[in-house]
Amino acid sequence: MKDQLQYQGTENYIVSDDLRNSVNITVALKRPLLIKGEPGTGKTVLAESVATSLGLPLIIWNIKSTTKAQEGLYVYDTVQRLYDSQFGDRDVSDIKQYIKLGKLGEAFASSQQVVLLIDEIDKADLEFPNDLLWELDVMNFYIPETGETIAANHRPVVIITSNAEKELPDAFLRRCVFHYIAFPDKEMMETIIRVHQPDLAERLLQEALKAFYWLRSVPGLQKKPSTSELLDWVQALSIAGIHPDKIVRELPFLGALLKKNQDFDLSLRQLHSRGTENPARATSRGW
Amino acid sequence: MFINFFYLLRSEGIPVSIIEWMTLMEALEAGLAGSSLTGFYFLSRAILVKSETQYDKYDQAFYKYFKGIESNEKMLDLVSKWLENPLPPRQFSEAERDELLKKLGMPDWEALKAALEERLRTQQGAHHGGSKWVGTGGTSPFGHSGFHPGGIRIGGDSHSRSAVKVAAERNYREYRSDKTLAVRQFEVALRRLRQFSTRVDGAKDELDLEGTIDATCNNAGRLKLVWTRPRRNAVKVLVLMDAGGSMTPYARICNQLFSAVHKASHFKDLKFYYFHNCIYDFLYLDASCNPRQAVNTESLLRTLDGDYKVIFVGDAAMAPSELFMAHGNIFWELDNEEPGIVWLERLARRFPHSAWLNPIPASHWDTMYGQQTLQAIRRIFPMFELTLDGLDNAVKKLMVRK
């Protein structure tokens, strides 16, 4: 444990104790860390912070709905090879030059240990995580075209984020260390804002936080505002010089917090009918 | 070690596997818990629990298992030396505890203090796993990581209380939602509902191999790539869900199906409507069956093609009048001129690919309340249980014309 890398958090990223624990467990056990949480709780930024703190380079693999597991390992550019064979530009018998390593392959082949962020793994197809199981487990893969095996020189620190749009397969989960980033409470949020906006007026901050948490408690919002939106909003409020008293009463620049029309109407209706003192609870209706 | 904790977690419904358990053992070996209960709490949670919806169950199990471990800040330098290099915390099951409790009884405080003084005078060095001396992992009244019904904990994990307290706070209660557990399984079943065809729209981003070979040959052997549109799923789905009062007991499983259907992104089109007990002139957009948020069943029949696959979800159990009589709607103000069964037959004619999922187990279909209407509806639509197997069969049925 002593000579292990230890993640301590970084200046511009506030990390809770249990999250820091989870990261250190991941590093020590050399297993992927699966991070889940509401959008805007800083899942992606965590990887940057870990990389900075450990002093390792960061490789980001952004997952899209069309991403295939294979692409992360390597791509064999057959078309280029065919072209080359016709024009005789290069020696096409050397297949190696047409093998391009993907992000995962890059992380394995790197001469030093890296932090690999697999961002939003739930965007991909249902089977995607299963396809990566073996490679993440043994940290190597085989390229049949060249007969090469790419093995990790140093097991990368793998951080995987998920927005919980899809359930991940059990076999995949079993091999991960899991951490759920809970939405920050008021005090934590205050610290976070202080880090980003050190010279914000105290009154403004308090009122903005009050309004923000009230807004999150409005039942039936399609998209609850998150940390990054709050940061934008607070900045807008302070630039425009809005009087703190107005914030809770009028919710100025609401567009910075809410991104959906229906949410807009809903929260304004709530505001006018009940005010922010009494956040209404959802009444559950039977089937 | 802790093996009972493992089984307790499993009995609480957290699907801990051997792989994860071994990982935890490895982590403990590496000292990642930092010999504190708090450390252990977060460590084992990170490794064993894979969804925030299970955090609450974990907290409960943890509390059940570790409650009673109290912290006591009485530290004696000398004793703490004996307590270095402790045994791993020994865990006692409820039964073991009771047995010990019976055996040892509750000592009174004065006697205990006297005994401790005596031990401190006579004990020469570290002593672990026993039942008398100050040490760790035993049943002696003095030391830590062991158990004694009324002992004095000396040293050890001073954080222990906080972990148990954290667990007892049950901060993750609101994340608990048993409904997400089987969504993935439903989703996988729904994936079979696909039908590839129509290359009408979409980007040409797939290599047309045949076309490429032809074009290359025509091009005197010079490579010429031909691209084509990928085959897309053309399945269109219409889900009609009963939101009536008798469905309330099945709300959870209906929720699962609802989530699964909505997550299934491979349908070309998905429409979701609700009805109350039976279908009449209107279908509703939300589960509350608010008449202001309704569509005409007739216009639905007119606008939707017959190639929609229709999944009904409902218990099909109602008063016979609701199904067979004109003006039988349970909502008086929504008078229906035609009986519900006419509407159902109409839907069945319009959509040849349809299936009815019933949350009531099939074994009760012949005997339960409402079996008369259930049987009648069963004659119109193929009916399946709303279970994974039932959904599988329903999907198979939906892929062929009835």
Side-chain angles (χ1 to χ4, degrees):
Chain A
M1 188 80 185
K2 299 242 159 41
D3 33 337
Q4 283 284 350
L5 289 168
Q6 279 278 348
Y7 170 61
Q8 301 293 1
T10 45
E11 267 174 33
N12 53 3
Y13 186 76
I14 304 292
V15 63
S16 63
D17 280 349
D18 50 335
L19 177 56
R20 194 175 55 229
N21 263 339
S22 297
V23 173
N24 284 325
I25 291 168
T26 309
V27 175
L29 289 180
K30 304 188 165 64
R31 282 192 172 62
L33 172 64
L34 175 65
I35 295 284
K36 234 162 113 179
E38 265 186 62
T41 40
K43 297 187 291 294
T44 307
V45 196
L46 171 74
E48 286 168 26
S49 162
V50 170
T52 321
S53 163
L54 299 182
L56 302 176
L58 173 67
I59 295 181
I60 300 176
W61 184 16
N62 268 308
I63 306 298
K64 305 200 171 60
S65 65
T66 52
T67 308
K68 297 269 176 301
Q70 180 68 31
E71 292 167 24
L73 305 178
Y74 71 95
V75 178
Y76 175 24
D77 194 348
T78 43
V79 175
Q80 185 62 47
R81 182 161 179 246
L82 246 167
Y83 277 133
D84 285 356
S85 79
Q86 292 190 323
F87 301 113
D89 288 351
R90 275 190 273 183
D91 177 18
V92 292
S93 64
D94 181 15
I95 295 178
K96 230 180 198 171
Q97 55 184 326
Y98 300 105
I99 301 281
K100 298 208 170 61
L101 289 182
K103 294 289 181 191
L104 196 60
E106 234 177 85
F108 286 180
S110 162
S111 57
Q112 69 171 123
Q113 198 182 16
V114 299
V115 176
L116 172 67
L117 168 66
I118 304 180
D119 207 8
E120 310 200 5
I121 195 166
D122 52 333
K123 288 263 184 305
D125 193 73
L126 273 173
E127 297 308 322
F128 177 87
N130 275 337
D131 294 347
L132 281 180
L133 270 187
W134 171 256
E135 283 76 14
L136 286 176
D137 227 19
V138 299
M139 292 283 174
N140 69 44
F141 62 90
Y142 178 68
I143 305 179
E145 283 86 351
T146 57
E148 251 184 314
T149 300
I150 305 277
N153 302 319
H154 308 277
R155 282 180 88 98
V157 177
V158 182
I159 296 178
I160 301 167
T161 71
S162 162
N163 278 329
E165 282 182 18
K166 294 196 185 92
E167 290 291 303
L168 296 168
D170 289 341
F172 179 78
L173 290 175
R174 272 202 282 276
R175 286 166 174 82
C176 297
V177 173
F178 174 80
H179 188 88
Y180 179 81
I181 302 189
F183 196 83
D185 57 12
K186 246 182 183 167
E187 286 150 41
M188 185 82 173
M189 188 60 92
E190 218 180 304
T191 333
I192 293 172
I193 297 178
R194 287 265 173 244
V195 167
H196 289 266
Q197 312 249 339
D199 27 59
L200 203 66
E202 180 64 29
R203 250 325 278 299
L204 184 92
L205 176 61
Q206 291 306 331
E207 291 298 302
L209 279 176
K210 199 166 136 202
F212 176 73
Y213 279 95
W214 171 80
L215 203 57
R216 278 182 61 86
S217 72
V218 171
L221 282 192
Q222 291 188 7
K223 192 192 164 307
K224 288 184 178 177
S226 65
T227 315
S228 54
E229 280 140 0
L230 175 63
L231 286 172
D232 289 347
W233 189 52
V234 172
Q235 192 167 20
L237 290 175
S238 93
I239 289 175
I242 301 284
H243 193 270
D245 287 343
K246 273 191 181 171
I247 295 175
V248 172
R249 230 176 327 130
E250 293 173 14
L251 297 179
F253 308 124
L254 195 54
L257 288 176
L258 297 178
K259 306 294 162 74
K260 300 218 175 200
N261 246 347
Q262 297 96 309
D263 289 354
F264 227 93
D265 299 342
L266 182 72
S267 51
L268 285 181
R269 224 178 308 134
Q270 284 276 343
L271 180 69
H272 292 142
S273 58
R274 293 168 218 242
T276 48
E277 294 304 324
N278 175 22
R281 288 270 148 253
T283 47
S284 58
R285 303 187 72 148
W287 279 77
Chain B
M1 100 187 156
F2 301 122
I3 203 70
N4 287 331
F5 186 47
F6 174 71
Y7 284 109
L8 180 63
L9 287 173
R10 287 188 63 96
S11 71
E12 287 284 321
I14 302 172
V16 184
S17 69
I18 307 276
I19 296 181
E20 286 155 322
W21 192 251
M22 295 315 284
T23 310
L24 177 64
M25 293 300 121
E26 189 187 318
L28 287 175
E29 202 112 307
L32 289 178
S35 334
S36 83
L37 198 55
T38 314
F40 178 74
Y41 170 81
F42 287 117
L43 177 73
S44 77
R45 193 180 73 181
I47 293 173
L48 302 179
V49 187
K50 297 302 158 63
S51 168
E52 72 279 11
T53 56
Q54 286 158 3
Y55 274 9
D56 185 50
K57 286 182 192 159
Y58 173 81
D59 278 356
Q60 277 181 305
F62 191 90
Y63 181 68
K64 215 189 255 179
Y65 199 83
F66 290 102
K67 74 178 163 195
I69 297 185
E70 295 278 323
S71 84
N72 188 327
E73 293 307 317
K74 277 185 188 169
M75 288 282 279
L76 286 162
D77 286 347
L78 175 73
V79 180
S80 69
K81 216 174 270 168
W82 298 342
L83 295 174
E84 275 169 12
N85 310 314
L87 287 179
R90 179 159 161 205
Q91 302 309 331
F92 295 84
S93 71
E94 206 65 44
E96 277 177 298
R97 277 167 191 252
D98 288 344
E99 200 182 308
L100 278 167
L101 206 63
K102 240 182 272 156
K103 204 172 93 191
L104 300 170
M106 291 296 290
D108 69 293
W109 176 235
E110 288 304 320
L112 204 61
K113 260 202 315 202
L116 178 58
E117 267 175 40
E118 193 257 338
R119 294 284 202 297
L120 290 176
R121 263 200 310 276
T122 50
Q123 184 163 348
Q124 299 298 318
H127 199 99
H128 300 298
S131 63
K132 180 177 179 193
W133 299 102
V134 179
T136 63
T139 56
S140 148
F142 313 112
H144 69 82
S145 305
F147 175 77
H148 186 274
I152 299 174
R153 199 176 66 73
I154 302 170
D157 33 9
S158 57
H159 300 292
S160 65
R161 190 197 187 100
S162 58
V164 177
K165 216 168 85 193
V166 167
E169 280 169 7
R170 297 186 61 192
N171 288 322
Y172 292 91
R173 195 190 310 220
E174 59 191 275
Y175 294 107
R176 187 182 187 123
S177 63
D178 297 349
K179 68 182 173 198
T180 54
L181 288 180
V183 173
R184 186 183 154 82
Q185 290 161 307
F186 274 143
E187 249 178 282
V188 172
L190 283 170
R191 275 179 83 81
R192 296 222 191 101
L193 202 55
R194 55 177 142 196
Q195 185 177 63
F196 288 119
S197 65
T198 56
R199 304 186 171 194
V200 201
D201 44 6
K204 289 190 173 184
D205 53 3
E206 205 173 81
L207 186 71
D208 180 356
L209 203 59
E210 305 256 309
T212 302
I213 294 171
D214 279 351
T216 306
C217 290
N218 287 336
N219 206 17
R222 277 274 161 93
L223 180 65
K224 191 167 182 190
L225 296 177
V226 178
W227 301 94
T228 183
R229 294 189 179 91
R231 298 191 312 151
R232 290 256 159 73
N233 195 357
V235 160
K236 293 182 261 184
V237 177
L238 169 65
V239 182
L240 301 172
M241 198 178 262
D242 186 353
S246 58
M247 288 291 284
T248 311
Y250 311 109
R252 205 190 114 217
I253 193 154
C254 289
N255 268 332
Q256 286 180 354
L257 182 70
F258 179 88
S259 326
V261 169
H262 274 269
K263 277 183 186 168
S265 49
H266 63 285
F267 300 136
K268 192 170 177 217
D269 189 26
L270 170 67
K271 301 223 182 296
F272 215 108
Y273 297 104
Y274 294 90
F275 60 92
H276 195 279
N277 286 0
C278 187
I279 296 174
Y280 310 102
D281 307 56
F282 294 102
L283 287 164
Y284 304 97
L285 293 173
D286 58 28
S288 61
C289 292
N290 182 348
R292 260 173 288 169
Q293 302 241 357
V295 293
N296 246 316
T297 311
E298 215 216 310
S299 77
L300 201 79
L301 283 164
R302 242 193 349 256
T303 49
L304 296 189
D305 290 337
D307 58 355
Y308 271 82
K309 316 244 181 248
V310 185
I311 303 174
F312 295 87
V313 184
D315 56 4
M318 59 197 102
S321 62
E322 289 180 65
L323 184 62
F324 298 115
M325 264 172 56
H327 318 290
N329 193 333
I330 192 164
F331 292 128
W332 298 62
E333 68 278 16
L334 296 171
D335 195 21
N336 57 309
E337 290 189 359
E338 288 165 300
I341 194 152
V342 173
W343 282 106
L344 291 180
E345 278 165 352
R346 209 169 271 160
L347 283 161
R349 268 200 307 280
R350 178 72 178 141
F351 304 108
H353 302 276
S354 53
W356 189 293
L357 291 172
N358 197 327
I360 296 170
S363 50
H364 299 310
W365 287 357
D366 295 330
T367 50
M368 47 159 265
Y369 156 79
Q371 53 98 5
Q372 196 186 351
T373 55
L374 193 146
Q375 297 303 341
I377 290 175
R378 221 177 141 187
R379 277 192 287 275
I380 307 174
F381 300 104
M383 191 177 284
F384 304 92
E385 275 182 345
L386 180 48
T387 58
L388 273 183
D389 294 342
L391 183 61
D392 260 350
N393 291 332
V395 165
K396 273 182 211 143
K397 190 85 196 167
L398 284 170
M399 294 314 292
V400 293
R401 210 168 259 264
K402 176 176 61 180

